Amino acid sequence: MEGSWFHKERFLLFLALGLLIQGRGSTFIINCSGFGQHGGYPTVLDSVFERKAFRPVTNFSIPTLVNISFTMSAILDVVWDNPFIRWKPEECEGITKISVATKNLWLPDIFIIEFMNVDKTPKGLTAYVSNEGRIRYKKPMKVTSICNLDIFYFPFDQQNCTLTFSSFLYTVENMLLGMEKEVWEIADTSRDIVQTHGEWELLGINKATPKMSVGTSLYDQIMFYVAIRRRPRLYIINLLVPSGFLVAIDALSFYLPAESGNRAPFKITLLLGYNVFLLMMNELLPTNGTPLISVYFALCLSLMVVSLLETIFITYLLHLATSQPPPMPQWLHSLILYCTSPTKCCPTALQKRNKAMGLPPAHLPGVKEPVELVGKMPGPRETELNGCPGSTKAQQEDETQKQHLVNLWVQFSHMMDTLLFRLYLLFMTTSVVTVIVLWNT
């Protein structure tokens, strides 16, 4: 039993060597007897199918050239030559191309290094074989690859992704990779497909052919650099335009008088609406990193909060000023006069203003605090008791002094509103210019 097993093993080994020696340096031509009869080729290619585990070459020292191509619709096109599948069309009923199940053929183990998901290519695909032994295999596949995204300028970002095609098993001595199409042809075909599907626009494709060294082995590979740009129109309509409208309405709310008490509830409603808008649009924003649009939303929210706080402060200040006006600090008084006076606080102008308001020269604003003056002036009740003939005049001066303080605080509130309103205008103008520049570039 051991002797027969040994002779059987030697017989199989000699058979395999005989097949290899027979194919070395020769060209195989398939016998067309019975080829194409009954719509098939039952036994003609059996000898080729039995060798599918071996690389189809007549000389193993010559590497197999595998030409690859692809489109952005995730179709991998692989072309190589099999010297064992050749026939003369004139002897084979004019047949120049046949389809063969891929399970019966040797397939190059081309893979994409950046590929992340499990290959879900359907089984039982076929390949086309020409009479010259050229095999074309189209493999539809969905590629989810690793791509370093720079989302700072989202949604005006431009990304550069890499697709690297290489082999697991075959080194440069056994298999070389080439291009079945030119890069510009691949880019044109892919651009037509990408423009009709998805939110990205294909800018261009470049290639490089570096060798990959793994230990002492050297593998051939082709790297494609794909430049794509996001289409921002969807995000501008759904994100930037509503946010800009809400900020603009909040800026127009400064035309509501603060003393009426309607501005604060209006701003609170806008602030709540803006928060609801951010919660609804959060799914459109990138999950990783901090894009520029997130900074824009944060600035809009901060500006609306500052505006609400300013409105609350101004409303409280005006209410306090109408009941019991507090004394105004000297630096604030000077600042108001500096911002409102066309002559920048000229003493002559101040005297003319106070004279027009009916104040005596001793009561010039900026010389003494109004509260101090009020404290030194006798009150109306005290004037009646003393029988001072100037009681009516003192009471008028007291009312004028109080009204002057109220006017100063109202002027201060208007100055704060003007300053914040101009800040709104500057922010909105900067935002519009930034969007236009990023969109055009």
Side-chain angles (χ1 to χ4, degrees):
M1 294 295 292
E2 292 181 0
S4 62
W5 176 82
F6 176 73
H7 288 293
K8 184 177 181 181
E9 183 181 6
R10 289 182 61 187
F11 174 74
L12 293 175
L13 180 60
F14 289 152
L15 178 60
L17 289 176
L19 290 174
L20 295 179
I21 293 173
Q22 180 185 3
R24 180 182 294 273
S26 61
T27 301
F28 289 82
I29 302 297
I30 295 176
N31 187 1
C32 289
S33 60
F35 192 81
Q37 294 182 1
H38 307 291
Y41 36 89
T43 59
V44 174
L45 298 177
D46 287 348
S47 60
V48 179
F49 295 162
E50 292 173 357
R51 303 181 188 183
K52 67 177 181 178
F54 302 96
R55 188 165 58 94
V57 290
T58 58
N59 190 340
F60 276 91
S61 63
I62 301 176
T64 301
L65 178 61
V66 178
N67 295 324
I68 65 174
S69 178
F70 74 97
T71 59
M72 296 303 293
S73 61
I75 296 179
L76 179 62
D77 194 0
V78 187
V79 180
W80 70 98
D81 290 336
N82 189 330
F84 302 122
I85 309 179
R86 291 185 178 180
W87 68 89
K88 295 180 179 180
E90 60 273 9
E91 297 178 0
C92 301
E93 302 181 2
I95 298 176
T96 59
K97 186 193 300 185
I98 59 175
S99 60
V100 180
T102 55
K103 65 179 181 179
N104 295 323
L105 298 173
W106 174 87
L107 300 177
D109 60 331
I110 303 296
F111 76 103
I112 302 176
I113 294 180
E114 294 84 5
F115 191 70
M116 295 180 60
N117 290 353
V118 179
D119 188 3
K120 298 181 180 180
T121 304
K123 306 299 181 181
L125 297 176
T126 59
Y128 287 98
V129 182
S130 68
N131 64 297
E132 297 178 351
R134 173 150 297 188
I135 301 176
R136 181 179 297 275
Y137 174 44
K138 292 182 179 290
K139 182 180 181 180
M141 56 188 303
K142 182 179 180 181
V143 178
T144 304
S145 63
I146 301 174
C147 186
N148 295 324
L149 298 180
D150 184 11
I151 61 172
F152 180 75
Y153 292 106
F154 173 90
F156 307 98
D157 51 333
Q158 176 179 328
Q159 307 298 339
N160 295 314
C161 298
T162 304
L163 296 176
T164 305
F165 294 83
S166 185
S167 172
F168 267 121
L169 302 176
Y170 298 102
T171 61
V172 292
E173 291 83 7
N174 299 320
M175 189 172 68
L176 298 176
L177 297 180
M179 293 291 297
E180 210 275 326
K181 294 181 180 179
E182 295 294 333
V183 178
W184 64 269
E185 294 180 296
I186 298 176
D188 290 343
T189 305
S190 301
R191 187 176 291 109
D192 294 337
I193 296 176
V194 173
Q195 287 180 352
T196 57
H197 299 86
E199 60 174 311
W200 294 94
E201 177 185 359
L202 179 63
L203 299 180
I205 300 177
N206 295 319
K207 73 155 186 159
T209 56
K211 299 294 188 293
M212 181 177 59
S213 178
V214 180
T216 58
S217 301
L218 193 63
Y219 296 87
D220 197 13
Q221 61 180 5
I222 298 181
M223 300 180 66
F224 294 96
Y225 301 99
V226 182
I228 55 178
R229 180 173 57 192
R230 196 189 306 269
R231 294 174 176 172
R233 186 173 304 171
L234 171 67
Y235 300 95
I236 291 177
I237 295 176
N238 292 331
L239 292 178
L240 296 180
V241 172
S243 177
F245 282 160
L246 291 175
V247 174
I249 293 174
D250 190 49
L252 293 177
S253 66
F254 283 103
Y255 286 97
L256 295 176
E259 57 272 10
S260 65
N262 295 326
R263 186 195 294 181
F266 183 77
K267 285 184 174 292
I268 292 175
T269 304
L270 280 179
L271 187 60
L272 292 177
Y274 195 80
N275 281 277
V276 172
F277 160 75
L278 292 181
L279 291 177
M280 294 178 60
M281 295 294 107
N282 193 33
E283 297 180 356
L284 295 178
L285 297 177
T287 56
N288 298 326
T290 304
L292 187 61
I293 192 173
S294 297
V295 178
Y296 166 75
F297 288 150
L299 290 178
C300 290
L301 186 63
S302 302
L303 200 59
M304 295 177 73
V305 171
V306 171
S307 174
L308 177 61
L309 294 178
E310 186 264 350
T311 299
I312 294 175
F313 173 72
I314 291 300
T315 303
Y316 168 75
L317 191 62
L318 293 179
H319 173 73
L320 188 65
T322 54
S323 59
Q324 183 64 36
M328 178 170 288
Q330 180 66 31
W331 63 270
L332 184 58
H333 191 184
S334 301
L335 179 63
I336 294 177
L337 294 177
Y338 179 82
C339 295
T340 57
S341 176
T343 56
K344 304 300 181 184
C345 297
C346 178
T348 306
L350 294 180
Q351 293 178 3
K352 291 181 179 179
R353 175 179 295 183
N354 287 275
K355 185 176 181 181
M357 296 183 64
L359 293 178
H363 295 170
L364 287 176
V367 178
K368 291 184 179 181
E369 287 292 341
V371 175
E372 295 178 358
L373 296 176
V374 173
K376 293 182 179 180
M377 294 296 297
R381 185 181 299 271
E382 183 179 355
T383 304
E384 290 180 1
L385 295 175
N386 296 333
C388 180
S391 60
T392 304
K393 183 178 179 181
Q395 186 176 3
Q396 290 179 354
E397 291 182 357
D398 188 22
E399 292 296 330
T400 304
Q401 183 76 20
K402 182 178 179 181
Q403 184 64 34
H404 179 61
L405 279 177
V406 172
N407 292 336
L408 287 178
W409 285 115
V410 171
Q411 195 171 9
F412 170 70
S413 66
H414 291 168
M415 186 179 67
M416 290 189 61
D417 280 347
T418 303
L419 180 63
L420 197 56
F421 180 74
R422 291 178 179 177
L423 183 61
Y424 264 82
L425 294 181
L426 178 62
F427 176 75
M428 289 188 294
T429 304
T430 306
S431 301
V432 172
V433 172
T434 303
V435 169
I436 294 175
V437 171
L438 291 178
W439 197 350
N440 292 331
T441 57

